[in-house]
DNA sequence: CTGAAAGCGCTTACAG
DNA sequence: CTGAAAGCGCTTACAG
């Protein structure tokens, strides 16, 4: 005497339901729905119709388990409170979603440890791909990545040819905006920075190179503050620089939020910008074109970075070849009223 | 003659590996790892040790498939480019992550259709819970939600008692800030808005009630623009209002980014704030305390909303009772230099 | 081009 | 308190 089958029905419309409604086997239904060739066109449309009629939605968990892969792409960014990364994420999502991938967002707060923790967790989900900001990570993170074999593209910065990356040279950009200030006749140029993450320090390096090349290596003034970047901090630093170095005739802030804060502090203190001191920022964030005076800055093409990185990752996930491991999207100096 | 078993090994350390290493059955290992009572303490530590030694990471897909539930919580917000929602997300994530849940972020761009699409997709993943912004959604979305039975908490706004929500009265907040301007002696108060989403329109309603109550119902001036909110648009609207209604002595902008743009336009146009026209915003976004003059606004406690909503959802997901379906976290009027 | 069988890695539902 | 069996819903690998 056999007992009745123990069922654990979830009420879900399954592939088997679709298959029997269409009068084919589950495998054929699966292949038809996934658009695999080698299925008769007539069958495909019959399966498609049955799926539509029944309101079939594939179960991602079952799919992931059976195929040992998923349609998740994890994107790790340092912060969400900087619009830069939001723009990046929107672009990534906009490119990945139509291709059927789901974007998982992780925030590292510029911490190697948090990144490692997130990586471990996301990797357990067998993501189809990974998008990481920059190259600064722990050895353990690197090992996890290598062991996972998950395709990975790095954002914002340019890496060695053995790694995939889409970005631009942060150092060159820092050099260019400094050269712009030099070309405007400024000599006592201060570099003012917060956060001090690796990309900020590369901009610092660019600043140093430009000053050196102009024979002003000795005149370098750097105000480096490890706190997180904000308009309020920008105002504070603006004052500090002027107090410590009244001779300063220009300030290059490592990020626009600092620069905007600096510009507002200048208004408050009635420091004439750009007459007394020119001001430049970095990233061209929202509002920079609205300031008084409008802010000279470096426009960083994060939307392009997001789109191109997603496209590269899509290729890698499909096992296709990518033309080049590194895409340099460049940057541009936007000259406005503050310099 | 039986053929060899067909294996599809993924190289993963599985629960079975842990179990055999610990000398117990997979079920016992599973229970031990999940911290279920009814497992001998000695066994628990043996299993734990084996898991640690082998570097076992549970497979979320297998877990989701077997248990018909997941550890995903989907959060749908209108935008990421408004810091308000970023703060909200950080708070939600901060409360959910330690509890073992993974936050999936979806962006609706204030579109009912996009929300419906996202909902359909996320629901296929059997999320453990859902966090939605506001109450404005399509009938199809409502039906999907109801049919899914997934616990759901609504953010930012207060709903009917049959729905779970954490927020505050947008209308009351709009009324309060208008009353503040009235108390300062302003009479020709303009309401200036963009985006025009439901919460903005509730603030408009609060403005109207306050004006009505002050006997100024006829003096209402409303500048409603459906474009998305930005500092640049705030500047444009500031000018438009002044041109169309030179008698205006105060402007209540529905969001701080607009108000900041208005303040900068005032500087540009040399309109004296607050002497000639007072300015108020909404949300107390980054930079509002840095403007010249500093911006009077409504501080909205989005971090509290995120934390409380996550806590409520956690209870619902565990099947626990919640004290009340609605939590009103309130708001406060922050009076600064612009009014 | 199509399908019967087996398996992915876990947990539920029954037993004892 | 512990376990053998079955099942979750899909896809891979092998046949034909």
């Amino acid at each position: 005497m056999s007992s009745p089958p123990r069922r654990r029905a979830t009420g879900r419309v399954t592939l088997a339901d679709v298959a029997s409604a269409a009068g084919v086997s589950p495998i054929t239904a699966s292949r038809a729905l996934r658009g695999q060739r080698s299925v008769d066109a007539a069958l495909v449309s019959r399966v498609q119709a049955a799926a539509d009629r029944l309101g079939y939605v594939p179960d991602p968990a079952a799919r992931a388990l059976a195929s040992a892969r998923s349609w998740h792409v994890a994107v790790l960014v340092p912060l969400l409170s900087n619009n830069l990364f939001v723009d990046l994420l929107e672009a990534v999502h906009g490119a990945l979603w139509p291709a059927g991938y789901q974007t998982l967002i992780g925030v590292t707060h510029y911490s190697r440890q948090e990144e490692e923790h997130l990586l471990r967790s996301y990797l357990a989900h067998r993501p189809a791909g990974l998008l990481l900001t920059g190259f600064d990570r722990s050895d353990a993170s690197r090992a996890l990545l290598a062991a996972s074999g998950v395709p990975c593209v790095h954002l914002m910065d340019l890496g060695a040819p053995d790694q995939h990356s889409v970005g631009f040279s942060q150092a060159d950009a820092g050099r260019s905006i400094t050269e712009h200030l030099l070309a405007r006749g400024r000599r006592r140029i201060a570099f003012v920075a917060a956060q001090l993450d690796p990309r900020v320090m590369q901009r610092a390096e660019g600043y140093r190179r430009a000053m050196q090349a102009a024979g002003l290596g000795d005149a370098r003034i750097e105000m480096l503050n490890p706190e997180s970047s904000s308009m309020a901090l920008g105002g504070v630093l603006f004052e500090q620089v002027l107090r410590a170095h009244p001779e300063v005739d220009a300030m290059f802030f490592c990020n626009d939020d600092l620069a905007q804060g600096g510009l507002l502090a200048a208004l408050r203190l009635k420091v004439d910008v750009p007459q007394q001191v020119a001001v430049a920022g970095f990233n061209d964030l929202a509002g920079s074109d609205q300031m008084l005076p409008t802010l000279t800055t470096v426009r960083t093409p994060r939307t392009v970075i997001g789109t191109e990185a997603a496209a590269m990752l899509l290729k890698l996930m499909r096992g296709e070849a990518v033309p080049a491991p590194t895409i340099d999207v460049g940057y541009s100096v936007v000259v406005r009223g503050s310099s």
Side-chain angles (χ1 to χ4, degrees), chain A residues 61-202:
Chain A
R63 181 171 270 184
L65 184 59
S67 64
R69 54 170 302 205
S70 75
W71 292 83
H72 291 301
V73 170
V75 188
L76 266 41
V77 294
L79 286 179
L80 288 179
S81 48
N82 187 335
N83 254 300
L84 174 74
F85 297 113
V86 170
D87 293 343
L88 197 56
L89 288 171
E90 295 253 1
V92 163
H93 179 262
L96 255 25
W97 177 270
Y101 289 91
Q102 180 138 69
T103 307
L104 301 185
I105 300 171
V107 180
T108 66
H109 301 103
Y110 286 108
S111 152
R112 289 174 166 218
Q113 204 166 19
E114 281 194 58
E115 188 188 52
E116 187 180 320
H117 191 65
L118 285 167
L119 226 35
R120 208 178 293 278
S121 157
Y122 280 115
L123 250 17
H125 286 260
R126 296 192 189 99
L130 235 33
L131 251 17
L132 302 179
T133 305
F135 295 97
D136 176 52
R137 50 190 46 87
S138 72
D139 289 337
S141 290
R142 261 180 256 281
L144 279 170
L145 284 171
S148 75
V150 174
C152 177
V153 176
H154 302 78
L155 305 166
M156 297 308 297
D157 206 348
L158 298 174
D162 62 324
Q163 299 194 288
H164 296 275
S165 58
V166 180
F168 60 92
S169 166
Q170 302 275 340
D172 285 357
R175 190 170 43 67
S176 291
I177 187 92
T178 308
E179 286 170 353
H180 157 74
L181 293 170
L182 288 165
R184 283 281 204 259
R186 308 294 167 158
R187 287 297 172 267
R188 317 288 301 181
I189 305 173
F191 178 72
V192 189
Q195 189 60 57
L196 311 186
D197 63 85
R199 283 174 298 288
V200 165
M201 297 319 288
Q202 289 169 44

